[in-house]
Amino acid sequence: MTQQADVVVVGGGVVGLTTAIALNEAGMRTLVWTAELPRRTTSAVAGALLGGPVMTEPRADAMRWQTTGLEIFNELAARPHTGVTSARGRLVSKLGPGTPPWARDLPGFAECSPEELAGFPSGFWITSPVADMPCYLDYLVDRLCQSGGDLEVCTVASLEQPTAVAPVVINCAGVAGGTLACDDSVTPVRGQHVVVANPGLTEFFYEGGADDDWTGFFPHGDHVVLGGNARPGDWSLEPDERQTADIIKRCAEVEPRLADARVIKVDVGLRPGRPSIRLEEENADQGRLIHNYGHAGVGVSMSWGCALDVVKLVSA
Ligand SMILES: Cc1cc2nc3c(=O)[nH]c(=O)nc-3n(C[C@H](O)[C@H](O)[C@H](O)COP(=O)(O)OP(=O)(O)OC[C@H]3O[C@@H](n4cnc5c(N)ncnc54)[C@H](O)[C@@H]3O)c2cc1C
């Protein structure tokens, strides 16, 4: 079969789209093959707060990836129609009183007053880029096409399948990336969000450091994304009514205007949980194979840093 592209990226979530854009913009014609359209992926469900700490990822590269991403997201927030904006909001925690030392270096840092803590023992204000994920994914698809790439809905049965059309394959299949790579360290970490009509909020609120249930809300224009939770090992994509009620209750305790906000929809996503992100080349029988999956709860924040490292690996 004739080669149609330099690279095929498997996966059209935030990691795959960003990787494909970075490859195209570096001069490599890249196709995205995705089982689901971007708005139907886990990536579409995220909040998404992009300037907070990323302490859950143990790889030494995580800080560099985070810094790279933050620079790019700040640039995107200054442009219209990207889905990324700059917002002020509170980061709170139940982990104990006192502000962590790194927090003071974050843009817009200010201690919360006792009333602003909303019952949490610690918290502070920051300014951070935030993404309205469905809009941001639309922007990424447009940018992919403008950079000469393309997206096709296609479910691959193996990572060898795309070598029929390109000599390099990048595995960005999220939680399915583990199955395709025979990597049993990947596990779904189910998360549920509730999207409500915006009763007039402009500032976000996020509880960091919580294991399973946390309180957070992210206003994006006419709607607010309320969160959230993390359920390792749960593959169900069905919204859970009890979790919906709990999420609304927790958020309304902080912001009473959310108590009666009209529910627009309930979104569920499967974070690709893994002990650490897998970004490396694997010796393959056919063509070249590079993995970029397992971003757990920080895939949006890490997407640009990881994508640019994939470009370096492909070019090496
Ligand atoms: C409730 C919630 C809140 C979150 N909040 C944040 C946040 O604030 N900040 C942050 O950085 N991250 C956040 N995350 C995590 C973030 O959403 C994920 O890390 C990220 O979406 C992973 O992106 P991905 O592209 O790797 O995977 P996905 O978005 O799952 O995309 C995987 C892609 O692979 C495709 N695919 C799968 N199998 C195949 C196949 N066989 N053939 C072809 N294509 C295939 C799928 O169709 C899809 O296009 C949150 C997640 C959840 C659930």
Side-chain angles (χ1 to χ4, degrees), residues 58-297:
R59 267 186 76 147
D61 307 293
M63 192 56 82
R64 181 173 57 81
W65 289 334
Q66 156 89 342
T67 306
T68 301
L70 201 45
E71 277 170 22
I72 295 172
F73 285 121
N74 278 323
E75 282 169 24
L76 294 176
R79 285 196 244 152
H81 314 304
T82 61
V84 182
T85 51
S86 179
R88 187 170 179 264
R90 282 169 282 174
L91 284 187
V92 301
S93 172
K94 285 191 187 120
L95 294 182
T99 300
W102 47 261
R104 296 179 189 281
D105 296 329
L106 296 173
F109 173 85
E111 294 282 5
C112 284
S113 68
E115 301 75 48
E116 290 166 347
L117 286 173
F120 287 83
S122 68
F124 48 87
W125 291 91
I126 61 165
T127 302
S128 165
V130 290
D132 179 352
M133 285 307 294
C135 295
Y136 179 54
L137 292 168
D138 289 349
Y139 162 77
L140 290 179
V141 173
D142 283 351
R143 185 163 160 181
L144 171 74
C145 295
Q146 279 167 18
S147 64
D150 210 348
L151 180 141
E152 292 168 10
V153 176
C154 164
T155 303
V156 305
S158 79
L159 292 169
E160 281 180 5
Q161 192 181 327
T163 58
V165 297
V168 183
V169 176
I170 320 285
N171 174 12
C172 298
V175 74
T179 315
L180 288 169
C182 302
D183 171 1
D184 60 12
S185 71
V186 178
T187 178
V189 182
R190 182 188 180 281
Q192 184 162 316
H193 272 166
V194 183
V195 181
V196 301
N198 191 346
L201 311 188
T202 54
E203 291 165 336
F204 66 82
F205 183 96
Y206 178 70
E207 177 192 353
D211 284 337
D212 43 10
D213 292 305
W214 45 271
T215 306
F217 48 84
F218 304 92
H220 296 296
D222 60 358
H223 62 278
V224 188
V225 177
L226 316 185
N229 55 30
R231 299 285 185 270
D234 187 348
W235 286 94
S236 170
L237 285 168
E238 283 302 307
D240 179 308
E241 280 183 28
R242 185 164 179 176
Q243 290 179 20
T244 298
D246 287 347
I247 288 169
I248 295 172
K249 181 168 175 285
R250 288 198 299 276
C251 290
E253 280 166 8
V254 176
E255 173 46 78
R257 283 179 287 176
L258 291 170
D260 299 317
R262 178 175 58 84
V263 174
I264 298 170
K265 61 174 178 166
V266 178
D267 281 335
V268 177
L270 303 178
R271 301 173 185 89
R274 195 175 184 273
S276 69
I277 292 169
R278 186 172 189 199
L279 199 168
E280 64 181 359
E281 180 155 6
E282 180 184 343
N283 286 331
D285 295 336
Q286 294 173 36
R288 291 181 67 193
L289 172 61
I290 292 169
H291 298 289
N292 184 15
Y293 66 85
H295 296 72

Side-chain angles (χ1 to χ4, degrees), residues 11-15 34-36 41-43 48-49 154 156 173 176 296-301:
V14 71
V15 173
T34 180
E36 297 278 5
T41 62
T42 290
S43 299
L49 177 64
C154 164
V156 305
V298 293
V300 192
S301 301

